[in-house]
Amino acid sequence: MSDEKLPVVKADEGHGAVEVAEPIADPGIEPHEYRITDIDPKAADRVERQVSAMFTLAGVLALGSCVAYFAIPRDSVFEFGPLSGNANNMAIGLCIGLALFLIGAGAIQWAKKLMVDEEISEDRHPAHSSPEQIQDITEAFKQGAAESGFGRRTLIRRGLFTGLGLLGLPAVVLLRDLGPLPGRTLYHTIWAKGIRVVNDVTARPIKPADMIVGQLVNAIPANLPPLQEESAVEYQNARAKAAVIVVRIRPTEIRTKPGRENWGIDGILCYSKICTHVGCPISLYEQTTHHVLCPCHQSTFDLADSAKVVFGPAARPLPQLPLAVDSEGYLVAQSDFTEPVGPSFFERG
Ligand code: FES
């Protein structure tokens, strides 16, 4: 840091003289130095070809990521010394990463070597812009566009459009990994009239007397078929959609939604365990408030008030499963859910 002291002047602001530092003198703009590309058209053409090659290569890599997606088996493994991983993911990631890098590097090279780099200085001005300033800026923008050579340097322009255009392709292709559209699959679960509610941990059907006030248990329907290797996916789908939480709340603390007066048994209520935001399983229960929290994005549902959303991004309450008691005294469903379980997104359209 310089030891040079700022010049000081005396000023009188009504309370006697105070010392005020004078503004630092404007050092001005350093003399402009021309780049090789400013004075040698061949050098400028060389850089133009480099930039265009980078943009074009980005496009080729974007296409390569799509080829890798289809050509490399999903379960193939990449090994390189101590590093290993899924070869399909690795190839897609490398291609897209390099493509983005090349677009960025090409843009930097273009700006540094070819675009006009003369420095200008402006005095500070009020934050808002006057009409004249807006007009000046518009003209400056047009001038900048002209000086960037975007219209003139067709090679770069085509390369950039090719690279950027093809970069959109992997995003579309990778949408395929989201799996088939759910259609109306979330409108139905394996719950049906008379199906017993089974404790998910003990695998025993639940009687109202098994539950004390304040308790919450995870449960599944008794008709869930046993897990078998050949039908594991169907099993997981059925189980995921039918998972429920059963909670016992003091009846005086429950605010029942009209039409659901007979959906609970002595304060025992049953709700889908699948968060209506994007489908995480929930069960972080706070018995004093009757709130259950989704760990993914903190949506909070009030189980004493038809599981309505009291906080977070979920858009609708947890679907409630109407309960009854069968002839042997076990909790059973009155029917399937009366609305789709899971993320509300799937209800759209
Ligand atoms: S999935 Fe539950 S809050 Fe997002």
Side-chain angles (χ1 to χ4, degrees):
M1 182 184 264
S2 164
D3 290 337
E4 200 180 321
K5 292 223 168 88
L6 292 175
V8 170
V9 296
K10 304 271 185 190
D12 190 335
E13 295 189 345
H15 307 287
V18 291
E19 291 188 343
V20 180
E22 276 196 343
I24 299 171
D26 180 0
I29 295 175
E30 294 194 355
H32 180 65
E33 281 182 27
Y34 288 95
R35 304 161 301 184
I36 182 76
T37 46
D38 293 327
I39 51 181
D40 180 357
K42 281 191 182 159
D45 288 347
R46 205 165 43 242
V47 172
E48 181 173 2
R49 285 196 296 276
Q50 288 169 0
V51 173
S52 172
M54 284 192 248
F55 289 158
T56 307
L57 189 54
V60 172
L61 283 163
L63 279 178
S65 71
C66 299
V67 173
Y69 178 86
F70 290 107
I72 302 178
R74 294 299 176 95
D75 52 1
S76 60
V77 174
F78 160 88
E79 282 186 44
F80 185 74
L83 300 176
S84 66
N86 183 291
N88 184 287
N89 286 348
M90 184 78 73
I92 294 171
L94 274 177
C95 285
I96 295 178
L98 268 175
L100 290 172
F101 172 79
L102 285 170
I103 294 280
I108 290 171
Q109 181 78 336
W110 180 11
K112 284 187 71 154
K113 300 276 178 66
L114 294 176
M115 291 188 190
V116 173
D117 77 333
E118 277 185 47
E119 290 182 24
I120 55 168
S121 77
E122 269 188 297
D123 290 333
R124 283 177 185 266
H125 51 75
H128 67 87
S129 306
S130 65
E132 297 77 35
Q133 286 169 324
I134 291 173
Q135 192 180 348
D136 286 351
I137 289 167
T138 309
E139 275 163 20
F141 178 80
K142 285 182 185 159
Q143 186 186 348
E147 287 176 349
S148 73
F150 194 74
R152 190 163 38 89
R153 298 193 185 274
T154 48
L155 207 56
I156 287 186
R157 201 174 63 235
R158 285 191 200 134
L160 180 62
F161 285 153
T162 307
L164 286 180
L166 289 174
L167 257 177
L169 208 55
V172 176
V173 170
L174 292 177
L175 280 178
R176 187 169 173 267
D177 267 11
L178 292 177
L181 290 171
R184 294 184 65 82
T185 53
L186 294 169
Y187 281 71
H188 303 289
T189 73
I190 58 173
W191 286 106
K193 184 174 180 183
I195 299 297
R196 283 184 176 164
V197 182
V198 173
N199 186 309
D200 195 10
V201 178
T202 63
R204 291 209 187 99
I206 302 171
K207 285 185 172 175
D210 295 338
M211 296 200 58
I212 58 171
V213 170
Q215 189 178 8
L216 179 143
V217 298
N218 293 305
I220 51 175
N223 59 344
L224 188 68
L227 174 59
Q228 284 172 348
E229 204 176 329
E230 58 277 13
S231 56
V233 172
E234 291 76 19
Y235 170 88
Q236 295 293 2
N237 281 341
R239 184 185 174 103
K241 288 197 296 176
V244 291
I245 48 178
V246 185
V247 65
R248 185 158 199 171
I249 299 170
R250 212 165 268 115
T252 51
E253 295 172 2
I254 296 175
R255 290 179 294 286
T256 305
K257 203 169 171 180
R260 297 188 180 182
E261 290 79 5
N262 66 345
W263 284 25
I265 307 293
D266 299 334
I268 298 175
L269 304 170
C270 184
Y271 297 99
S272 169
K273 185 178 168 66
I274 310 305
C275 181
T276 52
H277 179 219
V278 291
C280 285
I282 56 172
S283 62
L284 298 171
Y285 183 52
E286 188 183 60
Q287 53 173 264
T288 49
T289 58
H290 319 118
H291 290 174
V292 68
L293 175 86
C294 175
C296 288
H297 315 101
Q298 282 69 56
S299 282
T300 308
F301 305 88
D302 185 351
L303 299 187
D305 193 3
S306 305
K308 84 169 185 199
V309 183
V310 292
F311 180 78
R316 65 186 177 106
L318 297 170
Q320 185 173 354
L321 187 74
L323 289 180
V325 175
D326 68 10
S327 56
E328 294 177 48
Y330 289 103
L331 290 176
V332 294
Q334 291 186 35
S335 67
D336 194 359
F337 287 100
T338 56
E339 57 187 313
V341 296
S344 301
F345 168 79
F346 295 120
E347 284 186 292
R348 290 191 186 159

